Amino acid sequence: MVLLRGGLAALAAAAAAAAVAGSPSPPPAAQPEAKPPTAAEYDTPAPPFELGLFPCTGCHTDAGNPKPRELGFHDEQQPLRHGQNLWCLDCHDQKKRDFLHLINGEQLPFSESYRLCGQCHGDKLRDWKVGVHGKRIGRWDGKKTYYLCVQCHNPHAPRFKGVETKEIGGVVMQRPIATPTRPEPAPRRPQEAR
Amino acid sequence: MSATGNRSLPVLQQAAPEARAEDPSRRQFLQAAAAAGAAAALGACDVEGALRRHFKELSKDEVARLLAKIERDHARRFGKKDWKATALGPRPGVEFGYGLDLSRCIGCRRCVYACVKENNQSRDPQIHWIRVLEMDKVRGVDVIESDIYYQADAVPRPGKFYMPVQCHQCRNPPCVKVCPVQATWTEPDGITVVDYDWCIGCRCCMAACPYGARHFNWTEPHIEAAEVNPDLHILGNRVRPKGVVEKCTFCIQRTRAGRYPACVEICPVGARKFGNLLDPSSEIRYVMENKRVFVFKEELNTRPRFYYFYAT
């Protein structure tokens, strides 16, 4: 499947968008509002937001300061343990606060965050798309739900530690946690069974 | 040939063709023996199931009657539930394959207990179709030094890796070859199944299986009524009688309906991959074509449909 996205999609004129109407490629970045956040190419569960943290516009209503710096708030995400010299607005969009953005400026909803991750981790994105990296549930012969990268990796400290399944805001979802996994009980030895 | 024949003992030379001619009666004898053995193992309550013909020889009506009987028996034993017994057959053009990513598995044993729950394994005595082997990274895959009874506060433990082992659904299955009554066979979609009413409980298959994937019901399986999965398959997860062998069926009741096996869905790290080996766009084919794949005990020529791989 050829995907019209990235720079190509951002540069595409409205006429080009009309020409590819009906294809799975997203509309150009000029009109991201047209796209509901769930209508993604892959069926993914809701992103595992902390309750009260999303939407970002709950607090961030002004333009904000685009200068990279240490924040006096968001202690839970600091220090950022992801890459080098990265900071919030490298991934989060400054203008449209409830969205992320790609390196080319295309704004994308949190439900499509895998495209953002894939900008650097292209090999993992390739494996994820075919279902080899990460987890899929559903049907082997049909509709599958793709777990997002952020359902196992905390984007602010992505090294895998463990996951938990938790109900957040009425939705049961898997999300990364910092505590390692405790195994289920060992099988009983044959001599214990007697 | 004739020279060899002359040198053999006369009694053997004559006995061979006769034995072949008597094959039908021998088969009848074995069938009678199997039925009698199964009847003895099952007790009087399941005579109808035990005295029927081989599963492959049953007509559609007979299968339907059997399914109704299975539902009745489960309802009587475990109470009212939405019992649904099926005999869903293999689909043409489907051969199941399984991939397990050894670089991802953390040894949390979620798969073990999801399997127990889905497939109605006995809780007491304990039967686990999946066993997770803990091994030393420096030693590599070394079954003798492995440990399935590891206890830990947190996994993965440093210096260890984990290798879950279950039925490998072999293309050349030793367990099927040794069964004296043909109570176990490989279906066209690659799942090796057991006809629990036909099994005589001789446990030859358990001795033959190099993966330890077959398990014997030494007693009537004990499962809490609330925990029994009511979605049953006649060759899969229906509650087994005492005295028969059982094994992983790739969750036949789920996979033949198009769903992923329970172990795939529960795995928190996504180490388990499942799909149709004959479909070039399936994830299992991608694994086999692009990743480092290894076959456990390859030297035994069992040719499993279960592969281990390293995605990194």
Side-chain angles (χ1 to χ4, degrees):
Chain A
M1 183 161 44
V2 179
L3 301 173
L4 278 176
R5 56 170 50 125
L8 194 57
L11 294 170
V20 297
S23 83
S25 70
Q31 35 175 284
E33 295 92 338
K35 183 188 207 172
T38 48
E41 179 188 3
Y42 298 99
D43 180 37
T44 55
F49 295 120
E50 295 277 346
L51 203 58
L53 225 52
F54 190 82
C56 309
T57 41
C59 302
H60 298 278
T61 46
D62 56 349
N65 179 1
K67 195 174 149 56
R69 65 195 190 280
E70 252 181 55
L71 300 182
F73 48 95
H74 275 314
D75 286 342
E76 75 282 0
Q77 319 292 18
Q78 294 188 89
L80 193 64
R81 292 188 296 278
H82 190 172
Q84 287 181 337
N85 298 323
L86 289 179
W87 94 292
C88 314
L89 296 186
D90 291 329
C91 300
H92 293 274
D93 198 68
Q94 191 203 345
K95 297 197 184 72
K96 212 164 154 44
R97 287 304 188 122
D98 291 334
F99 280 67
L100 302 163
H101 68 84
L102 298 180
I103 206 94
N104 64 10
E106 182 190 341
Q107 290 159 330
L108 76 165
F110 280 89
S111 57
E112 282 179 52
S113 56
Y114 55 88
R115 290 174 58 204
L116 175 66
C117 308
Q119 292 181 129
C120 297
H121 308 282
D123 56 332
K124 295 290 181 287
L125 179 65
R126 186 184 60 209
D127 279 359
W128 180 84
K129 282 180 177 172
V130 292
V132 172
H133 186 103
K135 178 173 174 174
R136 303 202 285 193
I137 60 171
R139 300 177 65 87
W140 61 264
D141 66 346
K143 192 171 155 58
K144 300 167 179 65
T145 300
Y146 289 62
Y147 278 44
L148 289 166
C149 315
V150 294
Q151 244 123 12
C152 297
H153 303 277
N154 180 349
H156 304 109
R159 172 173 272 279
F160 182 86
K161 293 271 185 9
V163 291
E164 67 172 3
T165 308
K166 202 179 175 186
E167 191 183 320
I168 304 170
V171 187
V172 178
M173 58 179 68
Q174 179 174 308
R175 65 170 193 172
I177 48 171
T179 45
T181 311
R182 193 182 175 84
E184 298 279 338
R188 281 200 287 275
R189 292 171 191 268
Q191 53 266 39
E192 293 170 45
R194 276 183 208 128
Chain B
M1 185 63 207
S2 64
T4 320
N6 288 340
R7 255 182 275 137
S8 341
L9 291 170
V11 62
L12 285 180
Q13 199 179 11
Q14 284 163 8
E18 274 172 33
R20 234 173 280 131
E22 282 170 13
D23 254 355
S25 65
R26 184 169 151 270
R27 182 173 299 157
Q28 278 168 10
F29 166 74
L30 284 176
Q31 284 180 343
L42 294 169
C45 62
D46 199 20
V47 174
E48 192 187 328
L51 291 182
R52 66 168 168 80
R53 285 182 291 144
H54 190 275
F55 180 80
K56 288 192 203 170
E57 296 173 344
L58 293 178
S59 68
K60 270 196 179 133
D61 288 351
E62 286 170 311
V63 171
R65 269 206 300 280
L66 217 53
L67 293 174
K69 182 185 175 308
I70 288 171
E71 288 176 3
R72 272 202 313 278
D73 287 352
H74 280 76
R76 194 184 313 132
R77 186 165 157 197
F78 298 106
K80 199 170 156 58
K81 251 189 196 190
D82 194 13
W83 299 107
K84 189 170 130 314
T86 67
L88 208 57
R91 288 188 211 178
V94 170
E95 182 178 350
F96 292 125
Y98 203 110
L100 201 151
D101 189 348
L102 286 185
S103 61
R104 298 267 177 266
C105 177
I106 57 169
C108 66
R109 292 203 190 97
R110 301 283 189 273
C111 50
V112 175
Y113 290 92
C115 172
V116 165
K117 214 171 151 190
E118 171 69 29
N119 291 296
N120 293 331
Q121 276 119 291
S122 174
R123 312 312 204 252
D124 184 29
Q126 214 174 38
I127 292 181
H128 289 172
W129 289 356
I130 304 175
R131 285 190 284 194
V132 185
L133 275 54
E134 186 184 63
M135 301 192 202
D136 276 330
K137 279 185 178 169
V138 288
R139 297 190 75 98
V141 175
D142 182 344
V143 181
I144 293 197
E145 297 290 324
S146 70
D147 179 16
I148 68 165
Y149 302 109
Y150 62 92
Q151 312 222 9
D153 289 332
V155 285
R157 294 205 284 185
K160 305 281 189 188
F161 73 98
Y162 300 86
M163 180 166 157
V165 180
Q166 62 203 77
C167 176
H168 275 45
Q169 314 288 2
C170 307
R171 294 176 179 87
N172 186 17
C175 54
V176 169
K177 279 189 231 169
V178 299
C179 180
V181 295
Q182 296 179 28
T184 182
W185 65 91
T186 303
E187 293 268 289
D189 56 3
I191 303 176
T192 296
V193 293
V194 180
D195 182 350
Y196 307 121
D197 295 333
W198 208 254
C199 174
I200 59 171
C202 70
R203 296 184 283 133
C204 290
C205 54
M206 290 172 67
C209 177
Y211 306 107
R214 286 175 167 263
H215 306 271
F216 189 64
N217 285 283
W218 289 96
T219 68
E220 198 78 29
H222 180 261
I223 311 168
E224 291 297 328
E227 291 181 16
V228 182
N229 176 10
D231 185 12
L232 308 168
H233 193 284
I234 187 166
L235 298 173
N237 64 340
R238 69 181 164 111
V239 177
R240 273 71 67 182
K242 174 181 167 182
V244 302
V245 169
E246 61 182 70
K247 66 181 284 296
C248 160
T249 60
F250 279 168
C251 285
I252 195 166
Q253 67 283 0
R254 295 170 65 102
T255 50
R256 283 203 174 156
R259 301 167 68 200
Y260 279 126
C263 49
V264 171
E265 294 236 324
I266 196 78
C267 181
V269 295
R272 290 168 169 270
K273 306 298 166 194
F274 181 83
N276 180 5
L277 284 171
L278 305 181
D279 173 9
S281 63
S282 67
E283 61 242 53
I284 186 70
R285 279 287 290 272
Y286 182 89
V287 165
M288 295 186 68
E289 285 161 16
N290 295 285
K291 299 296 178 187
R292 290 174 294 148
V293 175
F294 101 87
V295 170
F296 187 33
K297 300 194 181 180
E298 187 177 18
E299 67 279 13
L300 299 178
N301 195 30
T302 52
R303 300 173 59 227
R305 292 183 182 85
F306 190 104
Y307 302 91
Y308 295 94
F309 71 100
Y310 301 90
T312 47

